[in-house]
Amino acid sequence: MRDNNCIFCKIAKGEIPSATLYEDDLVKVILDISPATKGHALILPKEHYDNFYEISEDCAKHVIVTAKKMAEKMKEQLDLEGLNVLQNNGEIAGQTVFHYHMHLIPRYKEDQVNMDWNHGEVTEEYKEDLMQKLSL
Ligand code: 5GP
Ligand code: ZN
């Protein structure tokens, strides 16, 4: 599964150095090299998955449990006001490294992070269409 040209595979294997906050058999947590805010961290599986569609359920569970532990640590150690837990899939969604990873972005008063979007409206037709298509 490993992609030889993937920078996060190299980081996961320790072939490229990273500021590592946590590591186990399945994941590595590193500081983002170009942080949105102080403490911006990334959780990457050691196995290569391009994105959220590909990640195994076991790995997904482990990533979220790791995110929870890291979030608690961040809340305890940083003077944060909030935390964004997010991950991007596909170029249009902002993904730039095509090895699945989750961002933990501590938020501070007056930080410069902008995650705003225009809010649309919900019609009956919209609701019916999507409830039919997306109900699990
Ligand atoms: P994406 O845009 O794919 O959701 O996020 C990629 C993230 O990886 C970016 O926030 C970027 O700063 C970070 N990044 C890219 N290359 C490296 C690297 O070599 N080392 C580390 N620690 N972070 C990286
Ligand atoms: Zn990879």
Side-chain angles (χ1 to χ4, degrees), residues 35-72:
T37 65
K38 181 180 164 191
H40 182 173
L42 303 172
I43 303 174
L44 24 140
K46 291 198 166 171
E47 191 164 328
H48 182 93
Y49 302 96
D50 280 358
N51 51 43
F52 192 53
Y53 306 110
E54 287 193 358
I55 192 170
S56 71
E57 280 196 12
D58 280 350
C59 191
K61 285 178 195 164
H62 194 64
V63 167
I64 201 73
V65 170
T66 306
K68 172 94 181 121
K69 288 179 184 162
M70 281 306 309
E72 280 158 14

PDB file of all heavy atoms in Angstrom, residues 35-72:
ATOM      1  N   PRO A  35       2.114  25.861  10.350  1.00  0.00           N
ATOM      2  CA  PRO A  35       0.906  25.835  11.190  1.00  0.00           C
ATOM      3  C   PRO A  35      -0.060  26.993  10.984  1.00  0.00           C
ATOM      4  O   PRO A  35       0.357  28.136  10.804  1.00  0.00           O
ATOM      5  CB  PRO A  35       1.485  25.881  12.615  1.00  0.00           C
ATOM      6  CG  PRO A  35       2.826  26.511  12.476  1.00  0.00           C
ATOM      7  CD  PRO A  35       3.342  26.108  11.130  1.00  0.00           C
ATOM      8  N   ALA A  36      -1.345  26.660  11.047  1.00  0.00           N
ATOM      9  CA  ALA A  36      -2.386  27.693  11.019  1.00  0.00           C
ATOM     10  C   ALA A  36      -2.370  28.478  12.327  1.00  0.00           C
ATOM     11  O   ALA A  36      -2.624  29.682  12.348  1.00  0.00           O
ATOM     12  CB  ALA A  36      -3.749  27.046  10.812  1.00  0.00           C
ATOM     13  N   THR A  37      -2.130  27.764  13.417  1.00  0.00           N
ATOM     14  CA  THR A  37      -2.020  28.389  14.738  1.00  0.00           C
ATOM     15  C   THR A  37      -0.991  27.605  15.558  1.00  0.00           C
ATOM     16  O   THR A  37      -0.571  26.507  15.161  1.00  0.00           O
ATOM     17  CB  THR A  37      -3.359  28.334  15.521  1.00  0.00           C
ATOM     18  OG1 THR A  37      -3.658  26.965  15.785  1.00  0.00           O
ATOM     19  CG2 THR A  37      -4.507  28.992  14.781  1.00  0.00           C
ATOM     20  N   LYS A  38      -0.664  28.162  16.715  1.00  0.00           N
ATOM     21  CA  LYS A  38       0.289  27.493  17.608  1.00  0.00           C
ATOM     22  C   LYS A  38      -0.268  26.139  18.063  1.00  0.00           C
ATOM     23  O   LYS A  38      -1.372  26.077  18.621  1.00  0.00           O
ATOM     24  CB  LYS A  38       0.534  28.386  18.831  1.00  0.00           C
ATOM     25  CG  LYS A  38       1.523  27.824  19.812  1.00  0.00           C
ATOM     26  CD  LYS A  38       1.671  28.796  20.967  1.00  0.00           C
ATOM     27  CE  LYS A  38       2.335  28.135  22.151  1.00  0.00           C
ATOM     28  NZ  LYS A  38       2.255  28.977  23.347  1.00  0.00           N
ATOM     29  N   GLY A  39       0.476  25.078  17.786  1.00  0.00           N
ATOM     30  CA  GLY A  39       0.066  23.740  18.200  1.00  0.00           C
ATOM     31  C   GLY A  39      -0.624  22.928  17.110  1.00  0.00           C
ATOM     32  O   GLY A  39      -0.969  21.767  17.332  1.00  0.00           O
ATOM     33  N   HIS A  40      -0.807  23.524  15.933  1.00  0.00           N
ATOM     34  CA  HIS A  40      -1.445  22.808  14.794  1.00  0.00           C
ATOM     35  C   HIS A  40      -0.722  21.483  14.576  1.00  0.00           C
ATOM     36  O   HIS A  40       0.466  21.449  14.299  1.00  0.00           O
ATOM     37  CB  HIS A  40      -1.351  23.705  13.552  1.00  0.00           C
ATOM     38  CG  HIS A  40      -1.994  23.141  12.322  1.00  0.00           C
ATOM     39  ND1 HIS A  40      -2.121  23.889  11.181  1.00  0.00           N
ATOM     40  CD2 HIS A  40      -2.533  21.929  12.025  1.00  0.00           C
ATOM     41  CE1 HIS A  40      -2.718  23.173  10.233  1.00  0.00           C
ATOM     42  NE2 HIS A  40      -2.962  21.968  10.720  1.00  0.00           N
ATOM     43  N   ALA A  41      -1.482  20.400  14.723  1.00  0.00           N
ATOM     44  CA  ALA A  41      -0.893  19.059  14.617  1.00  0.00           C
ATOM     45  C   ALA A  41      -1.641  18.218  13.592  1.00  0.00           C
ATOM     46  O   ALA A  41      -2.790  18.517  13.234  1.00  0.00           O
ATOM     47  CB  ALA A  41      -0.932  18.377  15.983  1.00  0.00           C
ATOM     48  N   LEU A  42      -0.979  17.181  13.119  1.00  0.00           N
ATOM     49  CA  LEU A  42      -1.554  16.268  12.128  1.00  0.00           C
ATOM     50  C   LEU A  42      -1.457  14.847  12.651  1.00  0.00           C
ATOM     51  O   LEU A  42      -0.415  14.454  13.197  1.00  0.00           O
ATOM     52  CB  LEU A  42      -0.765  16.349  10.810  1.00  0.00           C
ATOM     53  CG  LEU A  42      -0.637  17.721  10.148  1.00  0.00           C
ATOM     54  CD1 LEU A  42       0.343  17.630   8.973  1.00  0.00           C
ATOM     55  CD2 LEU A  42      -1.989  18.231   9.673  1.00  0.00           C
ATOM     56  N   ILE A  43      -2.527  14.089  12.466  1.00  0.00           N
ATOM     57  CA  ILE A  43      -2.506  12.661  12.800  1.00  0.00           C
ATOM     58  C   ILE A  43      -2.449  11.894  11.492  1.00  0.00           C
ATOM     59  O   ILE A  43      -3.334  12.054  10.640  1.00  0.00           O
ATOM     60  CB  ILE A  43      -3.770  12.253  13.574  1.00  0.00           C
ATOM     61  CG1 ILE A  43      -3.918  13.107  14.833  1.00  0.00           C
ATOM     62  CG2 ILE A  43      -3.728  10.762  13.916  1.00  0.00           C
ATOM     63  CD1 ILE A  43      -5.222  12.874  15.590  1.00  0.00           C
ATOM     64  N   LEU A  44      -1.386  11.104  11.297  1.00  0.00           N
ATOM     65  CA  LEU A  44      -1.301  10.324  10.073  1.00  0.00           C
ATOM     66  C   LEU A  44      -1.191   8.837  10.355  1.00  0.00           C
ATOM     67  O   LEU A  44      -0.401   8.436  11.213  1.00  0.00           O
ATOM     68  CB  LEU A  44      -0.142  10.760   9.163  1.00  0.00           C
ATOM     69  CG  LEU A  44       1.072  11.474   9.678  1.00  0.00           C
ATOM     70  CD1 LEU A  44       2.297  10.924   8.979  1.00  0.00           C
ATOM     71  CD2 LEU A  44       0.916  12.945   9.381  1.00  0.00           C
ATOM     72  N   PRO A  45      -1.975   8.034   9.648  1.00  0.00           N
ATOM     73  CA  PRO A  45      -1.792   6.593   9.764  1.00  0.00           C
ATOM     74  C   PRO A  45      -0.438   6.206   9.192  1.00  0.00           C
ATOM     75  O   PRO A  45       0.053   6.850   8.264  1.00  0.00           O
ATOM     76  CB  PRO A  45      -2.902   5.999   8.882  1.00  0.00           C
ATOM     77  CG  PRO A  45      -3.831   7.106   8.572  1.00  0.00           C
ATOM     78  CD  PRO A  45      -3.059   8.375   8.712  1.00  0.00           C
ATOM     79  N   LYS A  46       0.153   5.139   9.724  1.00  0.00           N
ATOM     80  CA  LYS A  46       1.440   4.686   9.185  1.00  0.00           C
ATOM     81  C   LYS A  46       1.256   4.013   7.833  1.00  0.00           C
ATOM     82  O   LYS A  46       2.136   4.064   6.983  1.00  0.00           O
ATOM     83  CB  LYS A  46       2.120   3.769  10.185  1.00  0.00           C
ATOM     84  CG  LYS A  46       2.560   4.559  11.412  1.00  0.00           C
ATOM     85  CD  LYS A  46       3.581   3.864  12.242  1.00  0.00           C
ATOM     86  CE  LYS A  46       4.175   4.881  13.224  1.00  0.00           C
ATOM     87  NZ  LYS A  46       5.037   4.251  14.214  1.00  0.00           N
ATOM     88  N   GLU A  47       0.082   3.414   7.663  1.00  0.00           N
ATOM     89  CA  GLU A  47      -0.212   2.806   6.362  1.00  0.00           C
ATOM     90  C   GLU A  47      -0.720   3.891   5.413  1.00  0.00           C
ATOM     91  O   GLU A  47      -1.375   4.839   5.855  1.00  0.00           O
ATOM     92  CB  GLU A  47      -1.279   1.726   6.545  1.00  0.00           C
ATOM     93  CG  GLU A  47      -1.467   0.865   5.320  1.00  0.00           C
ATOM     94  CD  GLU A  47      -2.213  -0.419   5.623  1.00  0.00           C
ATOM     95  OE1 GLU A  47      -2.063  -0.941   6.747  1.00  0.00           O
ATOM     96  OE2 GLU A  47      -2.946  -0.872   4.750  1.00  0.00           O
ATOM     97  N   HIS A  48      -0.412   3.727   4.138  1.00  0.00           N
ATOM     98  CA  HIS A  48      -0.868   4.736   3.173  1.00  0.00           C
ATOM     99  C   HIS A  48      -2.324   4.519   2.772  1.00  0.00           C
ATOM    100  O   HIS A  48      -2.703   3.454   2.294  1.00  0.00           O
ATOM    101  CB  HIS A  48       0.002   4.714   1.908  1.00  0.00           C
ATOM    102  CG  HIS A  48      -0.423   5.773   0.925  1.00  0.00           C
ATOM    103  ND1 HIS A  48       0.148   7.013   0.891  1.00  0.00           N
ATOM    104  CD2 HIS A  48      -1.407   5.780  -0.011  1.00  0.00           C
ATOM    105  CE1 HIS A  48      -0.461   7.744  -0.039  1.00  0.00           C
ATOM    106  NE2 HIS A  48      -1.396   7.011  -0.605  1.00  0.00           N
ATOM    107  N   TYR A  49      -3.126   5.551   2.982  1.00  0.00           N
ATOM    108  CA  TYR A  49      -4.478   5.625   2.414  1.00  0.00           C
ATOM    109  C   TYR A  49      -4.550   7.004   1.785  1.00  0.00           C
ATOM    110  O   TYR A  49      -4.181   7.985   2.415  1.00  0.00           O
ATOM    111  CB  TYR A  49      -5.557   5.563   3.492  1.00  0.00           C
ATOM    112  CG  TYR A  49      -5.528   4.337   4.376  1.00  0.00           C
ATOM    113  CD1 TYR A  49      -4.879   4.372   5.613  1.00  0.00           C
ATOM    114  CD2 TYR A  49      -6.173   3.166   3.997  1.00  0.00           C
ATOM    115  CE1 TYR A  49      -4.880   3.255   6.443  1.00  0.00           C
ATOM    116  CE2 TYR A  49      -6.176   2.051   4.827  1.00  0.00           C
ATOM    117  CZ  TYR A  49      -5.534   2.099   6.040  1.00  0.00           C
ATOM    118  OH  TYR A  49      -5.541   1.002   6.855  1.00  0.00           O
ATOM    119  N   ASP A  50      -5.057   7.100   0.572  1.00  0.00           N
ATOM    120  CA  ASP A  50      -5.127   8.417  -0.078  1.00  0.00           C
ATOM    121  C   ASP A  50      -6.022   9.385   0.688  1.00  0.00           C
ATOM    122  O   ASP A  50      -5.736  10.582   0.754  1.00  0.00           O
ATOM    123  CB  ASP A  50      -5.721   8.291  -1.490  1.00  0.00           C
ATOM    124  CG  ASP A  50      -4.693   7.819  -2.504  1.00  0.00           C
ATOM    125  OD1 ASP A  50      -3.525   7.623  -2.119  1.00  0.00           O
ATOM    126  OD2 ASP A  50      -5.071   7.648  -3.680  1.00  0.00           O
ATOM    127  N   ASN A  51      -7.131   8.857   1.222  1.00  0.00           N
ATOM    128  CA  ASN A  51      -8.156   9.757   1.758  1.00  0.00           C
ATOM    129  C   ASN A  51      -9.132   8.987   2.657  1.00  0.00           C
ATOM    130  O   ASN A  51      -8.959   7.799   2.909  1.00  0.00           O
ATOM    131  CB  ASN A  51      -8.900  10.443   0.609  1.00  0.00           C
ATOM    132  CG  ASN A  51      -9.397   9.423  -0.403  1.00  0.00           C
ATOM    133  OD1 ASN A  51      -9.914   8.374  -0.023  1.00  0.00           O
ATOM    134  ND2 ASN A  51      -9.203   9.700  -1.679  1.00  0.00           N
ATOM    135  N   PHE A  52     -10.150   9.693   3.083  1.00  0.00           N
ATOM    136  CA  PHE A  52     -11.160   9.153   4.012  1.00  0.00           C
ATOM    137  C   PHE A  52     -11.945   7.980   3.427  1.00  0.00           C
ATOM    138  O   PHE A  52     -12.388   7.099   4.149  1.00  0.00           O
ATOM    139  CB  PHE A  52     -12.123  10.293   4.383  1.00  0.00           C
ATOM    140  CG  PHE A  52     -13.046  10.003   5.524  1.00  0.00           C
ATOM    141  CD1 PHE A  52     -12.564   9.568   6.745  1.00  0.00           C
ATOM    142  CD2 PHE A  52     -14.410  10.217   5.389  1.00  0.00           C
ATOM    143  CE1 PHE A  52     -13.423   9.327   7.807  1.00  0.00           C
ATOM    144  CE2 PHE A  52     -15.281   9.981   6.448  1.00  0.00           C
ATOM    145  CZ  PHE A  52     -14.775   9.524   7.650  1.00  0.00           C
ATOM    146  N   TYR A  53     -12.125   7.993   2.102  1.00  0.00           N
ATOM    147  CA  TYR A  53     -12.849   6.890   1.471  1.00  0.00           C
ATOM    148  C   TYR A  53     -12.064   5.587   1.610  1.00  0.00           C
ATOM    149  O   TYR A  53     -12.636   4.519   1.702  1.00  0.00           O
ATOM    150  CB  TYR A  53     -13.087   7.153  -0.029  1.00  0.00           C
ATOM    151  CG  TYR A  53     -13.774   8.457  -0.304  1.00  0.00           C
ATOM    152  CD1 TYR A  53     -13.089   9.513  -0.899  1.00  0.00           C
ATOM    153  CD2 TYR A  53     -15.116   8.635   0.037  1.00  0.00           C
ATOM    154  CE1 TYR A  53     -13.718  10.719  -1.144  1.00  0.00           C
ATOM    155  CE2 TYR A  53     -15.743   9.843  -0.199  1.00  0.00           C
ATOM    156  CZ  TYR A  53     -15.038  10.881  -0.793  1.00  0.00           C
ATOM    157  OH  TYR A  53     -15.660  12.065  -1.021  1.00  0.00           O
ATOM    158  N   GLU A  54     -10.765   5.693   1.598  1.00  0.00           N
ATOM    159  CA  GLU A  54      -9.913   4.498   1.573  1.00  0.00           C
ATOM    160  C   GLU A  54      -9.548   3.969   2.955  1.00  0.00           C
ATOM    161  O   GLU A  54      -9.185   2.806   3.099  1.00  0.00           O
ATOM    162  CB  GLU A  54      -8.594   4.814   0.833  1.00  0.00           C
ATOM    163  CG  GLU A  54      -8.776   4.950  -0.655  1.00  0.00           C
ATOM    164  CD  GLU A  54      -7.450   4.938  -1.386  1.00  0.00           C
ATOM    165  OE1 GLU A  54      -6.381   4.859  -0.749  1.00  0.00           O
ATOM    166  OE2 GLU A  54      -7.498   5.034  -2.617  1.00  0.00           O
ATOM    167  N   ILE A  55      -9.585   4.826   3.947  1.00  0.00           N
ATOM    168  CA  ILE A  55      -9.101   4.441   5.272  1.00  0.00           C
ATOM    169  C   ILE A  55      -9.942   3.270   5.825  1.00  0.00           C
ATOM    170  O   ILE A  55     -11.156   3.218   5.615  1.00  0.00           O
ATOM    171  CB  ILE A  55      -9.125   5.664   6.221  1.00  0.00           C
ATOM    172  CG1 ILE A  55      -8.368   5.377   7.503  1.00  0.00           C
ATOM    173  CG2 ILE A  55     -10.515   6.169   6.488  1.00  0.00           C
ATOM    174  CD1 ILE A  55      -8.158   6.613   8.356  1.00  0.00           C
ATOM    175  N   SER A  56      -9.289   2.341   6.505  1.00  0.00           N
ATOM    176  CA  SER A  56     -10.023   1.204   7.084  1.00  0.00           C
ATOM    177  C   SER A  56     -10.800   1.680   8.311  1.00  0.00           C
ATOM    178  O   SER A  56     -10.434   2.684   8.936  1.00  0.00           O
ATOM    179  CB  SER A  56      -9.044   0.099   7.494  1.00  0.00           C
ATOM    180  OG  SER A  56      -8.298   0.505   8.626  1.00  0.00           O
ATOM    181  N   GLU A  57     -11.852   0.956   8.651  1.00  0.00           N
ATOM    182  CA  GLU A  57     -12.651   1.345   9.823  1.00  0.00           C
ATOM    183  C   GLU A  57     -11.813   1.280  11.096  1.00  0.00           C
ATOM    184  O   GLU A  57     -11.924   2.144  11.963  1.00  0.00           O
ATOM    185  CB  GLU A  57     -13.879   0.440   9.963  1.00  0.00           C
ATOM    186  CG  GLU A  57     -14.990   0.841   9.026  1.00  0.00           C
ATOM    187  CD  GLU A  57     -16.329   0.229   9.387  1.00  0.00           C
ATOM    188  OE1 GLU A  57     -16.489  -0.331  10.486  1.00  0.00           O
ATOM    189  OE2 GLU A  57     -17.225   0.320   8.529  1.00  0.00           O
ATOM    190  N   ASP A  58     -10.962   0.269  11.204  1.00  0.00           N
ATOM    191  CA  ASP A  58     -10.123   0.145  12.403  1.00  0.00           C
ATOM    192  C   ASP A  58      -9.189   1.341  12.529  1.00  0.00           C
ATOM    193  O   ASP A  58      -9.000   1.892  13.618  1.00  0.00           O
ATOM    194  CB  ASP A  58      -9.293  -1.145  12.350  1.00  0.00           C
ATOM    195  CG  ASP A  58     -10.123  -2.349  12.771  1.00  0.00           C
ATOM    196  OD1 ASP A  58     -11.240  -2.145  13.276  1.00  0.00           O
ATOM    197  OD2 ASP A  58      -9.642  -3.481  12.576  1.00  0.00           O
ATOM    198  N   CYS A  59      -8.609   1.725  11.418  1.00  0.00           N
ATOM    199  CA  CYS A  59      -7.692   2.862  11.438  1.00  0.00           C
ATOM    200  C   CYS A  59      -8.453   4.156  11.748  1.00  0.00           C
ATOM    201  O   CYS A  59      -7.986   4.978  12.535  1.00  0.00           O
ATOM    202  CB  CYS A  59      -6.957   2.952  10.092  1.00  0.00           C
ATOM    203  SG  CYS A  59      -5.618   4.115  10.148  1.00  0.00           S
ATOM    204  N   ALA A  60      -9.631   4.297  11.151  1.00  0.00           N
ATOM    205  CA  ALA A  60     -10.449   5.494  11.411  1.00  0.00           C
ATOM    206  C   ALA A  60     -10.769   5.613  12.899  1.00  0.00           C
ATOM    207  O   ALA A  60     -10.691   6.703  13.477  1.00  0.00           O
ATOM    208  CB  ALA A  60     -11.740   5.433  10.593  1.00  0.00           C
ATOM    209  N   LYS A  61     -11.106   4.491  13.516  1.00  0.00           N
ATOM    210  CA  LYS A  61     -11.413   4.498  14.948  1.00  0.00           C
ATOM    211  C   LYS A  61     -10.187   4.914  15.742  1.00  0.00           C
ATOM    212  O   LYS A  61     -10.273   5.713  16.680  1.00  0.00           O
ATOM    213  CB  LYS A  61     -11.857   3.107  15.412  1.00  0.00           C
ATOM    214  CG  LYS A  61     -13.258   2.753  15.000  1.00  0.00           C
ATOM    215  CD  LYS A  61     -13.594   1.335  15.455  1.00  0.00           C
ATOM    216  CE  LYS A  61     -14.839   0.847  14.722  1.00  0.00           C
ATOM    217  NZ  LYS A  61     -15.015  -0.602  14.805  1.00  0.00           N
ATOM    218  N   HIS A  62      -9.044   4.371  15.371  1.00  0.00           N
ATOM    219  CA  HIS A  62      -7.824   4.683  16.103  1.00  0.00           C
ATOM    220  C   HIS A  62      -7.437   6.158  15.932  1.00  0.00           C
ATOM    221  O   HIS A  62      -6.973   6.802  16.875  1.00  0.00           O
ATOM    222  CB  HIS A  62      -6.684   3.769  15.642  1.00  0.00           C
ATOM    223  CG  HIS A  62      -5.510   3.809  16.563  1.00  0.00           C
ATOM    224  ND1 HIS A  62      -5.576   3.368  17.868  1.00  0.00           N
ATOM    225  CD2 HIS A  62      -4.257   4.278  16.384  1.00  0.00           C
ATOM    226  CE1 HIS A  62      -4.405   3.557  18.449  1.00  0.00           C
ATOM    227  NE2 HIS A  62      -3.588   4.113  17.578  1.00  0.00           N
ATOM    228  N   VAL A  63      -7.646   6.684  14.743  1.00  0.00           N
ATOM    229  CA  VAL A  63      -7.350   8.104  14.506  1.00  0.00           C
ATOM    230  C   VAL A  63      -8.231   8.978  15.405  1.00  0.00           C
ATOM    231  O   VAL A  63      -7.735   9.916  16.040  1.00  0.00           O
ATOM    232  CB  VAL A  63      -7.549   8.472  13.011  1.00  0.00           C
ATOM    233  CG1 VAL A  63      -7.561   9.983  12.813  1.00  0.00           C
ATOM    234  CG2 VAL A  63      -6.446   7.851  12.151  1.00  0.00           C
ATOM    235  N   ILE A  64      -9.508   8.664  15.521  1.00  0.00           N
ATOM    236  CA  ILE A  64     -10.391   9.539  16.299  1.00  0.00           C
ATOM    237  C   ILE A  64     -10.102   9.418  17.799  1.00  0.00           C
ATOM    238  O   ILE A  64     -10.150  10.409  18.532  1.00  0.00           O
ATOM    239  CB  ILE A  64     -11.890   9.317  15.948  1.00  0.00           C
ATOM    240  CG1 ILE A  64     -12.737  10.529  16.340  1.00  0.00           C
ATOM    241  CG2 ILE A  64     -12.461   8.075  16.566  1.00  0.00           C
ATOM    242  CD1 ILE A  64     -12.572  11.728  15.468  1.00  0.00           C
ATOM    243  N   VAL A  65      -9.739   8.224  18.238  1.00  0.00           N
ATOM    244  CA  VAL A  65      -9.377   8.063  19.660  1.00  0.00           C
ATOM    245  C   VAL A  65      -8.083   8.839  19.945  1.00  0.00           C
ATOM    246  O   VAL A  65      -7.955   9.510  20.980  1.00  0.00           O
ATOM    247  CB  VAL A  65      -9.235   6.566  20.024  1.00  0.00           C
ATOM    248  CG1 VAL A  65      -8.628   6.391  21.408  1.00  0.00           C
ATOM    249  CG2 VAL A  65     -10.592   5.881  19.962  1.00  0.00           C
ATOM    250  N   THR A  66      -7.148   8.788  19.009  1.00  0.00           N
ATOM    251  CA  THR A  66      -5.901   9.556  19.167  1.00  0.00           C
ATOM    252  C   THR A  66      -6.196  11.055  19.159  1.00  0.00           C
ATOM    253  O   THR A  66      -5.622  11.813  19.954  1.00  0.00           O
ATOM    254  CB  THR A  66      -4.907   9.192  18.040  1.00  0.00           C
ATOM    255  OG1 THR A  66      -4.731   7.781  18.012  1.00  0.00           O
ATOM    256  CG2 THR A  66      -3.563   9.872  18.243  1.00  0.00           C
ATOM    257  N   ALA A  67      -7.106  11.470  18.291  1.00  0.00           N
ATOM    258  CA  ALA A  67      -7.489  12.891  18.226  1.00  0.00           C
ATOM    259  C   ALA A  67      -8.058  13.342  19.568  1.00  0.00           C
ATOM    260  O   ALA A  67      -7.753  14.435  20.057  1.00  0.00           O
ATOM    261  CB  ALA A  67      -8.508  13.106  17.115  1.00  0.00           C
ATOM    262  N   LYS A  68      -8.865  12.496  20.164  1.00  0.00           N
ATOM    263  CA  LYS A  68      -9.478  12.824  21.457  1.00  0.00           C
ATOM    264  C   LYS A  68      -8.392  12.989  22.538  1.00  0.00           C
ATOM    265  O   LYS A  68      -8.418  13.946  23.316  1.00  0.00           O
ATOM    266  CB  LYS A  68     -10.458  11.687  21.795  1.00  0.00           C
ATOM    267  CG  LYS A  68     -11.060  11.725  23.136  1.00  0.00           C
ATOM    268  CD  LYS A  68     -12.408  12.425  23.128  1.00  0.00           C
ATOM    269  CE  LYS A  68     -13.019  12.480  24.518  1.00  0.00           C
ATOM    270  NZ  LYS A  68     -13.272  13.809  24.980  1.00  0.00           N
ATOM    271  N   LYS A  69      -7.434  12.075  22.550  1.00  0.00           N
ATOM    272  CA  LYS A  69      -6.351  12.175  23.548  1.00  0.00           C
ATOM    273  C   LYS A  69      -5.519  13.428  23.322  1.00  0.00           C
ATOM    274  O   LYS A  69      -5.156  14.138  24.262  1.00  0.00           O
ATOM    275  CB  LYS A  69      -5.445  10.947  23.473  1.00  0.00           C
ATOM    276  CG  LYS A  69      -6.105   9.694  24.010  1.00  0.00           C
ATOM    277  CD  LYS A  69      -5.164   8.505  23.887  1.00  0.00           C
ATOM    278  CE  LYS A  69      -5.866   7.229  24.328  1.00  0.00           C
ATOM    279  NZ  LYS A  69      -5.189   6.024  23.853  1.00  0.00           N
ATOM    280  N   MET A  70      -5.206  13.708  22.048  1.00  0.00           N
ATOM    281  CA  MET A  70      -4.412  14.904  21.735  1.00  0.00           C
ATOM    282  C   MET A  70      -5.190  16.171  22.099  1.00  0.00           C
ATOM    283  O   MET A  70      -4.618  17.145  22.588  1.00  0.00           O
ATOM    284  CB  MET A  70      -4.056  14.942  20.242  1.00  0.00           C
ATOM    285  CG  MET A  70      -2.913  14.066  19.809  1.00  0.00           C
ATOM    286  SD  MET A  70      -1.362  14.311  20.713  1.00  0.00           S
ATOM    287  CE  MET A  70      -1.097  16.070  20.642  1.00  0.00           C
ATOM    288  N   ALA A  71      -6.500  16.156  21.833  1.00  0.00           N
ATOM    289  CA  ALA A  71      -7.335  17.330  22.136  1.00  0.00           C
ATOM    290  C   ALA A  71      -7.305  17.623  23.638  1.00  0.00           C
ATOM    291  O   ALA A  71      -7.202  18.782  24.056  1.00  0.00           O
ATOM    292  CB  ALA A  71      -8.771  17.076  21.678  1.00  0.00           C
ATOM    293  N   GLU A  72      -7.376  16.576  24.430  1.00  0.00           N
ATOM    294  CA  GLU A  72      -7.333  16.760  25.886  1.00  0.00           C
ATOM    295  C   GLU A  72      -5.992  17.358  26.317  1.00  0.00           C
ATOM    296  O   GLU A  72      -5.922  18.260  27.138  1.00  0.00           O
ATOM    297  CB  GLU A  72      -7.622  15.439  26.595  1.00  0.00           C
ATOM    298  CG  GLU A  72      -9.119  15.163  26.634  1.00  0.00           C
ATOM    299  CD  GLU A  72      -9.487  13.699  26.816  1.00  0.00           C
ATOM    300  OE1 GLU A  72      -8.609  12.886  27.170  1.00  0.00           O
ATOM    301  OE2 GLU A  72     -10.668  13.383  26.573  1.00  0.00           O
TER     302      GLU A  72
END
